[in-house]
Amino acid sequence: MADREKLIEVKDLQITFGSGRRSFVAVDDVNFDIYKGETFSLVGESGSGKTTIGRAIVRINPISSGEILFKGQRISGKISRELDKEVVKKCQMIFQDPLASLNERAKVDYIISEGLINHHLYKDEDDRKRKVENALHEVGLLPEFASRFPHEFSGGQRQRIGIARALIMEPEFVVADEPISALDVSIRAQVLNLLNRLKKSRGLTYLFIAHDLSVVRFISDRIAVIHKGRIVELADSEELFQNPLHPYTKALLSAVPVPDPEIEKKKQLLVYDPSMHDYAVDKPVWCEIKPQHFVYGNEKELDQYRKELGL
């Protein structure tokens, strides 16, 4: 891993909403790196802070402490206009709700090329139209769709428009915020396959945000599990499924449906209870329990995890 290029580095990240007595810490002490060319997934239940982190990386949400680096340069807090422009071009986001994130009064042609227009990234009108056409083609939509409005499309098509809007900026890094959770099951696989294909053809790097572990297993290189604003476990995709350590990870995995009805019937659902951790004296730390497998726990818990792994 040491020789791989770090595209995104998140260090000691804290994000707070509100101020004074009404403040709420949404994300606390989060650390991870995303390597160039990988799909890094952030998984947790609703309200755990996944989207907040994704939005902070693309500079939508301000952070209260820590820092975010893109290619070794700090992109959190106050930055120069040139760097801000660079981040807008190179780091794009695909939003969760394809209808809410598209301007319903604008035609698809304008929606997709809005970034190009705002940042003057085209030579002339012909060049702009050609870029829109290419982006539509790349996500499997017809060029004549450019003259229509978002409400004329299905959910899956709208999500493809959202993906085309992100791609036209020629980004290196894409935050995909639950891009399939609002779609029918039959359409989900198509959108996932599309994202995978684009990753290969364009050399993209993804931060994939999801609440469903079964979805991320097949597209992720590494998975981080987040609970109430704190990452509790991080490992390679297969390693996390084979050797889950943290009780919250185990609870999430126990909810993944199994296609065999006999196994599904006998399956035991685990319920995570945060009060099981006693952190009064023995304080928890973020520990690399084995190479590239990190877990959050105190000394007593870490000993237990080592025993589970046979270390």
Side-chain angles (χ1 to χ4, degrees):
M1 284 280 182
D3 56 342
R4 290 175 64 188
E5 185 191 334
K6 289 178 187 174
L7 197 66
I8 298 282
E9 295 168 69
V10 174
K11 298 182 176 178
D12 306 327
L13 182 67
Q14 190 185 61
I15 301 170
T16 310
F17 293 113
S19 58
R21 288 170 64 184
R22 299 187 64 181
S23 68
F24 167 69
V25 178
V27 172
D28 195 18
D29 195 25
V30 163
N31 290 276
F32 61 82
D33 301 325
I34 302 177
Y35 297 103
K36 193 170 172 58
E38 80 168 341
T39 298
F40 181 92
S41 288
L42 201 49
V43 181
E45 61 201 41
S46 298
S48 57
K50 321 179 285 294
T51 299
T52 305
I53 293 171
R55 290 168 76 97
I57 293 174
V58 295
R59 294 181 55 77
I60 297 173
N61 283 349
I63 71 171
S64 35
S65 69
E67 59 179 1
I68 299 167
L69 307 179
F70 174 62
K71 292 183 165 177
Q73 276 187 298
R74 182 178 62 79
I75 59 168
S76 51
K78 271 205 157 94
I79 57 173
S80 67
R81 277 186 68 178
E82 288 74 36
L83 185 55
D84 189 41
K85 251 182 132 169
E86 170 87 352
V87 173
V88 169
K89 276 163 61 180
K90 298 295 182 203
C91 303
Q92 283 287 313
M93 190 158 184
I94 299 164
F95 294 92
Q96 179 174 357
D97 184 345
L99 187 57
S101 65
L102 302 178
N103 179 354
E104 58 195 59
R105 291 199 180 91
K107 287 185 176 172
V108 168
D109 179 59
Y110 176 76
I111 289 169
I112 291 176
S113 57
E114 194 171 2
L116 296 182
I117 295 163
N118 290 345
H119 295 276
H120 310 296
L121 299 174
Y122 59 99
K123 293 190 198 80
D124 51 30
E125 186 58 13
D126 285 347
D127 184 42
R128 184 191 69 78
K129 280 191 166 150
R130 190 169 62 252
K131 283 186 169 178
V132 170
E133 215 167 282
N134 289 344
L136 283 169
H137 175 70
E138 214 168 348
V139 297
L141 295 175
L142 298 167
E144 52 263 34
F145 286 2
S147 60
R148 296 191 196 164
F149 291 94
H151 69 261
E152 297 177 55
F153 297 96
S154 69
Q157 288 172 322
R158 282 198 290 262
Q159 194 57 290
R160 285 167 188 261
I161 293 165
I163 295 169
R165 175 177 61 182
L167 286 180
I168 203 162
M169 301 297 284
E170 297 189 0
E172 289 180 43
F173 175 69
V174 175
V175 177
D177 180 15
E178 303 229 16
I180 59 168
S181 65
L183 305 177
D184 289 344
V185 175
S186 56
I187 309 294
R188 287 180 177 190
Q190 293 176 17
V191 173
L192 284 178
N193 288 337
L194 171 65
L195 289 171
N196 253 346
R197 200 178 73 237
L198 293 168
K199 177 186 167 182
K200 290 189 184 82
S201 64
R202 283 177 167 249
L204 294 171
T205 304
Y206 288 129
L207 168 61
F208 194 94
I209 294 168
H211 61 266
D212 182 351
L213 268 168
S214 59
V215 167
V216 299
R217 179 174 194 170
F218 301 103
I219 63 157
S220 314
D221 297 296
R222 290 185 303 141
I223 300 172
V225 177
I226 185 168
H227 179 256
K228 291 199 170 163
R230 195 180 271 282
I231 292 181
V232 294
E233 192 162 358
L234 193 166
D236 286 355
S237 178
E238 278 313 301
E239 166 69 17
L240 193 81
F241 275 82
Q242 300 299 326
N243 300 310
L245 295 174
H246 198 277
Y248 180 64
T249 310
K250 291 177 178 174
L252 280 184
L253 281 169
S254 79
V256 172
V258 181
D260 185 324
E262 285 308 309
I263 299 174
E264 186 67 29
K265 255 192 273 183
K266 293 174 190 155
K267 199 174 71 174
Q268 221 184 345
L269 267 179
L270 302 175
V271 178
Y272 176 60
D273 177 12
S275 66
M276 69 193 294
H277 305 288
D278 179 10
Y279 293 155
V281 182
D282 191 1
K283 297 293 183 206
V285 290
W286 181 239
C287 169
E288 187 168 9
I289 200 123
K290 63 186 263 197
Q292 298 302 319
H293 192 157
F294 299 83
V295 68
Y296 182 70
N298 61 19
E299 217 33 68
K300 187 181 164 197
E301 289 171 337
L302 294 175
D303 285 343
Q304 175 62 35
Y305 298 152
R306 285 188 189 102
K307 274 188 199 136
E308 283 181 41
L309 290 169
L311 297 173

